[in-house]
Amino acid sequence: MRLTTRTNLALRTLMVCAVNTDRLVRKQDVAQAINASENHLAQVINKLAQDGFITTQRGRHGGFGLAKAASSIGIGEVFRAFEAELPLIECFSDKNTCPLKDHCRMGSYLKRAVDNFYSALDDLYLSDLVECNSGLEHILQLEGPHLPQQCQPGSRTFKAPEAA
């Protein structure tokens, strides 16, 4: 399985927002921090906002930030939002023209594998990726004005991973 560039950029963008919860981040700053095209990033930001992961503010002092706490943004949910519309193989497509489709058994195994992939990510949250990760914070911390304390979206409390 290979993830799309959009999913990769979405995850990176959310990580930038999670590291910078005390400010609105700007598209150009995120693009520079994660080494992405601003045009490609604009599409990702739009989808993240439509799906309720981030909120946006237009205008001269605009930008975007997490719509909810990083501890409540499931990575499986993010991946599904960006990957679900793209079938892994033709078997999963409404336009399946494979001549084997009525007799091939591989599709059910691949579906189970994809379901297990997303299920494994359902136990992972954005906060698990960024909190107590000083190396990541150093790379993704942006310069600029901070939001007043009462305006800060999300929570930055550490949640230890549960033992398996």
Side-chain angles (χ1 to χ4, degrees), residues 118-140:
Y118 287 126
S119 179
L121 294 174
D122 287 338
D123 294 332
L124 181 64
Y125 291 87
L126 182 59
S127 57
D128 297 326
L129 302 177
V130 300
E131 291 177 356
C132 296
N133 188 341
S134 59
L136 185 75
E137 287 187 15
H138 177 73
I139 294 168
L140 298 181

Side-chain angles (χ1 to χ4, degrees), residues 21-23 55 65-69 147 151-155:
T21 57
D22 60 342
R23 71 183 80 236
T55 57
L66 295 180
K68 50 191 173 181
L147 292 173
C151 299
Q152 293 181 14
S155 167

